[in-house]
Amino acid sequence: MTLFLYILTVAIWGTTWLAIYFQLGDVDIVVSIFYRFALATLILIPLVVIIGKARLGSRQDQFYFVAQGGCLFSLNFICFYYATQFIPSGLVSVIFCLATLYNAVNSRLFFGTRVERYVWLASLFGISGLALLMSPQIHLDDSWINTLTGVGIAALGTLFFSFGNMISVRHGKVGIKPLQSNMWAMLYGTLILLAICVISGATFRLATNAEYLWSLFYLALFGSVIGFTAYLSLVIRVGPGTAAYTTVLFPVVALSLSAFFEGYQWTSASSAGLLLILTGNYLMINKGIRIKRAVAA
């Protein structure tokens, strides 16, 4: 079951970055994200009720559901969507690899989980690879500012995502199932997005072209309902650090699609950078599995 969840997460989230690209255009970014999670919530709530997993939880649980909604279903995606305006969606997925490092550090801060030395070594590979991957996009003109802006916004979104992972670990420790927490968190995240739209004076219009509508449906059902349920199930099963290893294959899938649809150009530097990132993530996966086996033995 764990392997199935791993493959499902990679297959879905490796392609959602391109779907996000098709959401950009005439519709306000925050409004598009609101439509995504409003639709996902409308799909998820009846499903959770039908299978009998709907639970109110305690007042403290509801507080954490609100926080999870902010971190996983609103603020992080605002960052990801805006970042895609500055850099290709495939590069945003590469920066999302930082979730592995963020989760390791945050697990230490919030739960006292020891950060092994191999994590720092793997992170060095990842940061070096990211620098190489970004280098073809940085020119000696104003465009380098846009590139760094996109990188910074995407990194902030990944940090929000990591905080959401920590809240999911808390849910697992008190026996809250992913479907239950997702239902409430997604509802609260949708309300947060609605509030932001209203306060900012955004116009609620809906694009009617096929690319926008199909990508919206895909992001709502597969990217949100199925993808997040699969991923957060992994977080509870194997921990946030190991679950974040799914990001190792996201750049391969996302950059391949980005090259075809967005015109992303592979260079020797970017290829070397991707190789370093994959090497760092492989190191984390390989060492992490060995340590878990040693502890289990």
Side-chain angles (χ1 to χ4, degrees), residues 72-88:
L72 285 185
F73 302 116
S74 55
L75 300 179
N76 61 323
F77 278 101
I78 290 175
C79 291
F80 293 143
Y81 277 63
Y82 271 108
T84 310
Q85 288 191 317
F86 296 98
I87 57 178

Side-chain angles (χ1 to χ4, degrees), residues 31-111:
V31 172
S32 280
I33 305 172
F34 166 72
Y35 287 151
R36 168 182 177 173
F37 285 107
L39 179 58
T41 301
L42 291 175
I43 295 172
L44 186 58
I45 289 179
L47 174 63
V48 176
V49 172
I50 289 172
I51 65 178
K53 296 295 184 181
R55 301 287 187 276
L56 181 61
S58 66
R59 182 178 300 179
Q60 186 180 44
D61 292 336
Q62 288 293 320
F63 168 79
Y64 280 107
F65 291 151
V66 173
Q68 186 179 27
C71 291
L72 285 185
F73 302 116
S74 55
L75 300 179
N76 61 323
F77 278 101
I78 290 175
C79 291
F80 293 143
Y81 277 63
Y82 271 108
T84 310
Q85 288 191 317
F86 296 98
I87 57 178
S89 62
L91 295 185
V92 177
S93 77
V94 172
I95 298 168
F96 190 61
C97 287
L98 290 173
T100 306
L101 174 60
Y102 285 163
N103 279 2
V105 173
N106 285 332
S107 292
R108 174 66 175 176
L109 292 175
F110 292 107
F111 302 107

Side-chain angles (χ1 to χ4, degrees), residues 156-287:
L156 177 61
T158 306
L159 181 59
F160 280 127
F161 174 80
S162 179
F163 288 150
N165 281 210
M166 299 304 107
I167 298 172
S168 298
V169 172
R170 179 266 172 190
H171 292 334
K173 290 181 179 295
V174 298
I176 298 175
K177 302 299 183 183
L179 276 176
Q180 177 189 355
S181 63
N182 277 5
M183 179 189 73
W184 286 108
M186 203 172 289
L187 174 61
Y188 288 130
T190 302
L191 293 176
I192 292 172
L193 290 166
L194 177 60
I196 294 174
C197 290
V198 172
I199 293 173
S200 64
T203 302
F204 289 88
R205 66 177 304 274
L206 180 67
T208 57
N209 61 79
E211 286 182 346
Y212 183 90
L213 293 177
W214 277 111
S215 60
L216 177 63
F217 176 77
Y218 183 81
L219 288 169
L221 177 59
F222 291 93
S224 302
V225 175
I226 299 176
F228 269 99
T229 300
Y231 178 78
L232 295 181
S233 297
L234 272 179
V235 170
I236 293 176
R237 280 172 171 265
V238 301
T242 304
Y245 294 156
T246 54
T247 61
V248 65
L249 294 180
F250 290 173
V252 179
V253 177
L255 282 176
S256 297
L257 292 173
S258 183
F260 185 79
F261 288 98
E262 299 176 275
Y264 176 78
Q265 299 293 321
W266 286 96
T267 66
S268 57
S270 59
S271 299
L274 180 59
L275 180 61
L276 282 175
I277 290 172
L278 295 178
T279 300
N281 277 270
Y282 172 78
L283 175 62
M284 295 190 75
I285 294 173
N286 191 44
K287 288 288 188 179

